[in-house]
């Protein structure tokens, strides 16, 4: 459990709060096929989340007015909350800086932290969170996560200094994982190229 990890790191037990006390849950944009365009607002969908980061290999744009409340902000967490494939439900990515003219689709949700850090993003990828959302088996066996489910989720809340330390440590692992995945992709492509050259 996540709070046990905190105890091991800091030697403290932190108070527990509801996720809804420290974050807002924002439903996505509804649009019609006629709104889809070659430019305009980028609509983030489940396919835009790959291995915990945003991917832009499969993008959809809409040419319509999008209210400011439906535009992403830096350090928002985007989550797939509904999908025909149950294994995709619950996957998240952190919104980076400079994501102008970007919104999210109806099967997605933005979880906007009220805290001044990325602590909630890491919590949303923890076993503590998943065991509450998928509490029947501890695995993704439902095809949607509702606001009601998120409202009931609890998390330990350390003081800001401790949260920043935890976020920094976990983010450093994310960077190392991303770098390793990029290196692996490069090696795989290099091997393919060599195979084509050797076996003509």
């Amino acid at each position: 459990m996540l709070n046990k990890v905190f105890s091991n790191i800091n030697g403290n037990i932190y108070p527990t709060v509801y996720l809804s006390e420290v974050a807002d849950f924002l439903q996505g944009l509804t649009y019609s096929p006629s709104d889809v365009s070659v430019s305009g607002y980028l609509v983030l969908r489940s396919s835009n989340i790959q291995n915990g980061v945003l991917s832009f290999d499969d993008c959809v744009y809409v040419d319509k007015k999008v209210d400011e409340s439906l535009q992403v902000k830096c350090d928002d967490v985007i989550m797939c909350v509904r999908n025909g494939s149950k294994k995709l439900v619950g996957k998240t990515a952190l919104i980076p800086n400079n994501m102008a003219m970007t919104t999210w689709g109806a099967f997605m949700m933005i979880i906007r932290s009220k805290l001044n850090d990325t602590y909630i993003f890491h919590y949303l990828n923890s076993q503590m969170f998943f065991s509450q959302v998928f509490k029947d088996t501890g695995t993704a066996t439902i095809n949607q996560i509702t606001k009601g489910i998120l409202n009931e989720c609890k998390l330990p809340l350390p003081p800001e200094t401790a949260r920043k330390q935890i976020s920094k440590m976990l983010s450093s692992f994310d960077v190392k994982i991303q770098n390793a995945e990029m290196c692996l992709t490069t090696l795989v492509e290099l091997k393919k190229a060599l195979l084509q050259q050797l076996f003509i």
Side-chain angles (χ1 to χ4, degrees):
M1 297 291 285
L2 198 57
N3 56 350
K4 290 183 180 179
V5 173
F6 292 158
S7 178
N8 290 338
I9 292 172
N10 298 311
N12 293 308
I13 301 297
Y14 298 113
T16 299
V17 300
Y18 285 103
L19 180 58
S20 56
E21 295 179 63
V22 291
D24 295 318
F25 314 130
L26 308 174
Q27 299 280 14
L29 177 75
T30 300
Y31 59 94
S32 64
S34 61
D35 294 321
V36 176
S37 176
V38 295
S39 62
Y41 277 86
L42 170 63
V43 182
L44 296 175
R45 300 165 299 135
S46 61
S47 60
N48 295 118
I49 304 177
Q50 299 293 333
N51 300 319
V53 296
L54 289 180
S55 168
F56 303 103
D57 293 334
D58 178 22
C59 293
V60 167
Y61 298 87
V62 292
D63 183 16
K64 66 177 294 183
K65 182 178 176 60
V66 176
D67 189 81
E68 186 177 354
S69 63
L70 284 172
Q71 298 178 34
V72 301
K73 297 182 178 180
C74 179
D75 289 342
D76 279 349
V77 181
I78 186 163
M79 174 183 286
C80 176
V81 293
R82 197 183 325 159
N83 200 284
S85 175
K86 296 176 182 178
K87 67 180 182 179
L88 300 180
V89 176
K91 69 176 185 174
T92 62
L94 194 64
I95 300 295
N97 201 5
N98 301 320
M99 287 282 291
M101 294 190 68
T102 304
T103 183
W104 60 99
F107 288 3
M108 311 296 285
M109 187 179 291
I110 284 290
I111 299 174
R112 184 164 291 165
S113 175
K114 299 176 184 178
L115 308 174
N116 188 30
D117 50 54
T118 59
Y119 173 76
I120 286 177
F121 168 67
H122 296 293
Y123 160 75
L124 293 171
N125 287 281
S126 71
Q127 186 58 40
M128 182 182 192
F129 172 71
F130 289 128
S131 65
Q132 294 179 80
V133 173
F134 309 117
K135 53 189 173 185
D136 291 336
T137 63
T139 58
T141 58
I142 60 174
N143 61 4
Q144 70 173 337
I145 298 174
T146 64
K147 282 187 176 181
I149 291 173
L150 292 175
N151 282 334
E152 294 301 312
C153 291
K154 297 178 181 179
L155 71 158
L157 189 66
E160 183 175 4
T161 301
R163 290 198 312 269
K164 288 185 179 296
Q165 290 174 344
I166 292 163
S167 296
K168 183 178 180 180
M169 177 188 65
L170 294 174
S171 294
S172 70
F173 277 96
D174 288 339
V175 171
K176 291 176 181 178
I177 291 169
Q178 291 168 26
N179 289 339
E181 288 173 345
M182 290 174 62
C183 182
L184 177 60
T185 300
T186 301
L187 290 172
V188 169
E189 293 302 318
L190 178 59
K191 181 182 177 182
K192 287 181 180 178
L194 287 171
L195 284 169
Q196 289 178 349
Q197 292 176 20
L198 292 170
F199 298 95
I200 299 174

